[in-house]
Amino acid sequence: MPRLPRKPQVELELTDPEPFPAGLHYLPGYFDETAQGALVADVRQLLVEAPLFKQSMPKSGAPLSVRMSNAGDFGWVTDREGGYRYQTVHPVTGKRWPPIPTVFLDLWQGVTSEIEPPNMCLINFYDAGARLGLHQDKGESSLEAPVVSVSLGDEATFSVGGMVRKDPVRRLRLRSGDVVWFGGPSRLIFHGVEGIRPGTSPLLEEHGFAASGRINITLRRIGR
Ligand code: MD6
Ligand code: FE
């Protein structure tokens, strides 16, 4: 029996000849080491007020391996009873989310031509085994506004698919200081994090975290 041909798996890198889909913007090394340090310090400060917490899937209640927190007027929350939603208070402390740090607002202004600032900032924290399944960023967030993200700490394998879940994915290695943002025709593309490479960056430990890991910050605007 002839073997069925397998779909090649592609690790998308800077040198990849294939262009990115329109609206998918990849800005490697956007932040230098000094700026990354300042961003991590802001995140640490923010997490004192709004500690990382465990989320769980709607219905099944299965825990997400990525721990999360938020800043801004709204935060993204999910649990068995309430499902995916945006809410104004931290689910554990009951307090309103802290304001979005100015440097994050500057990033949004710097890379998008949006007039309105983001009103929601999700903080994702990945330890050695954490992953984030393929998803689209939709919910109540405004689809006219882009989603902007920055990676800090350990490297991650980011997968980028198409408009339907079963579209083939390409892989992108995200490193500390890289910015990725989705707008226009790519606003709703499927994407996820297959995993991180623990210990590839000293950044988090240099800034008081107990172990290495990866932080990803995403900014968006929630419509009315
Ligand atoms: C992460 N990022 O990199 C997860 N979503 O940890 C996202 O889910 C994401 O990086 C929308 C736009 C950019 C992103
Ligand atoms: Fe996302």
Side-chain angles (χ1 to χ4, degrees):
M1 281 272 280
R3 288 174 58 198
L4 289 171
R6 292 183 57 205
K7 275 201 191 128
Q9 297 212 332
V10 187
E11 176 114 0
L12 193 63
E13 280 289 343
L14 263 178
T15 50
D16 196 298
E18 202 165 323
F20 288 112
L24 168 56
H25 307 268
Y26 168 45
L27 312 174
Y30 185 87
F31 288 107
D32 66 16
E33 262 175 54
T34 308
Q36 291 168 38
L39 288 164
V40 176
D42 274 351
V43 172
R44 232 178 102 71
Q45 189 61 47
L46 206 154
L47 295 179
V48 173
E49 269 187 79
L52 291 168
F53 61 96
K54 281 261 175 205
Q55 307 251 44
S56 47
M57 295 291 285
K59 297 194 183 86
S60 73
L64 303 195
S65 55
V66 180
R67 285 183 298 148
M68 301 185 184
S69 189
N70 293 279
D73 296 335
F74 301 94
W76 187 75
V77 170
T78 170
D79 57 29
R80 185 201 294 263
E81 298 77 23
Y84 300 138
R85 62 195 184 276
Y86 288 96
Q87 66 179 43
T88 56
V89 297
H90 191 293
V92 179
T93 67
K95 292 199 294 188
R96 292 191 72 105
W97 306 107
I100 301 177
T102 310
V103 275
F104 302 179
L105 300 174
D106 292 345
L107 163 65
W108 174 275
Q109 286 301 328
V111 301
T112 74
S113 49
E114 294 292 306
I115 293 152
E116 295 289 323
N119 56 7
M120 187 270 171
C121 173
L122 174 66
I123 317 280
N124 290 322
F125 185 89
Y126 297 76
D127 57 21
R131 343 182 300 101
L132 188 64
L134 270 193
H135 67 276
Q136 290 171 298
D137 283 33
K138 38 182 192 189
E140 298 103 82
S141 66
S142 163
L143 297 180
E144 288 83 57
V147 181
V148 177
S149 90
V150 56
S151 295
L152 296 166
D154 287 339
E155 292 175 14
T157 304
F158 190 70
S159 40
V160 184
M163 294 300 291
V164 293
R165 184 176 290 279
K166 63 181 193 328
D167 281 341
V169 300
R170 292 196 290 173
R171 291 177 178 80
L172 182 60
R173 189 171 301 189
L174 292 185
R175 298 182 176 87
S176 196
D178 292 355
V179 167
V180 171
W181 65 283
F182 296 172
S186 285
R187 177 64 180 74
L188 283 178
I189 53 174
F190 276 90
H191 59 283
V193 175
E194 293 182 11
I196 69 164
R197 292 180 176 80
T200 46
S201 165
L203 184 72
L204 269 50
E205 285 166 297
E206 281 171 5
H207 289 84
F209 283 83
S212 83
R214 171 175 183 264
I215 291 169
N216 176 264
I217 298 157
T218 63
L219 300 162
R220 75 200 72 205
R221 194 157 66 237
I222 311 302
R224 279 298 124 115

